């Protein structure tokens, strides 16, 4: 598969997509859904889950894609653990507010880069 991580990152950078939307919209065809469905599915995950309190929206978007592609709970969960582990290693956190430096003043990763990372790790899990 040719990488789509730059496409996903640019969708986030343009400001018309939240992080989860940028991921799932980029992989909507692979997930077997239309682009509007992708946007609607990920509406609630702007600023991470729970408005920066939970997991980065880009990781959530990757999980949505895995579930739609695999249609297998155990496989999707195993692959999600791998994505989260790789993301944590690269960025030092998976929680939105930590990545954005809320409370610390130290931004670990910009949103468009989080989207690119989540896309890269997602593509490692998708069938070729």
């Amino acid at each position: 598969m040719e990488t789509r991580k730059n496409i996903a990152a640019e969708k986030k950078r343009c400001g018309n997509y939240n992080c989860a939307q940028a991921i799932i919209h980029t992989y909507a065809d692979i997930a077997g859904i239309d682009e509007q469905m992708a946007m609607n599915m990920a509406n609630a995950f702007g600023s991470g889950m729970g408005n920066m309190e939970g997991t980065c929206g880009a990781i959530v978007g990757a999980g949505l894609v895995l579930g739609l592609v695999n249609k297998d709970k155990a496989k999707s969960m195993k692959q999600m653990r791998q994505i989260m582990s790789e993301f944590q290693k690269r960025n030092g956190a998976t929680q939105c507010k930590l990545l954005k430096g809320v409370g610390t003043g130290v931004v670990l990763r910009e949103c468009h880069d989080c989207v690119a990372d989540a896309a890269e790790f997602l593509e490692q899990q998708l069938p070729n």
Side-chain angles (χ1 to χ4, degrees), residues 24 27-39 41 68:
I24 197 161
Y27 298 93
D29 60 324
I30 293 169
I33 59 173
D34 66 57
E35 292 177 348
Q36 188 59 53
M37 173 71 75
M39 294 295 284
M41 285 177 62
L68 290 165

Side-chain angles (χ1 to χ4, degrees), residues 17-119:
Y17 301 81
N18 70 36
C19 295
Q21 288 173 326
I23 293 288
I24 197 161
H25 189 268
T26 299
Y27 298 93
D29 60 324
I30 293 169
I33 59 173
D34 66 57
E35 292 177 348
Q36 188 59 53
M37 173 71 75
M39 294 295 284
N40 292 338
M41 285 177 62
N43 274 338
F45 303 115
S47 300
M49 294 180 70
N51 294 324
M52 299 184 101
E53 292 299 320
T55 304
C56 167
I59 298 171
V60 173
L64 292 169
V65 173
L66 288 175
L68 290 165
V69 169
N70 292 331
K71 298 173 182 51
D72 179 295
K73 181 180 175 182
K75 182 177 182 180
S76 296
M77 289 177 67
K78 180 179 178 184
Q79 290 176 326
M80 188 78 255
R81 278 192 301 273
Q82 184 65 35
I83 289 171
M84 289 189 72
S85 175
E86 293 297 322
F87 193 96
Q88 173 74 36
K89 279 191 257 183
R90 180 173 289 171
N91 298 305
T94 59
Q95 186 181 16
C96 183
K97 74 178 180 181
L98 297 176
L99 290 161
K100 299 310 301 164
V102 175
T104 66
V106 178
V107 176
L108 299 177
R109 198 80 162 144
E110 296 293 337
C111 289
H112 64 274
D113 292 325
C114 288
V115 168
D117 292 343

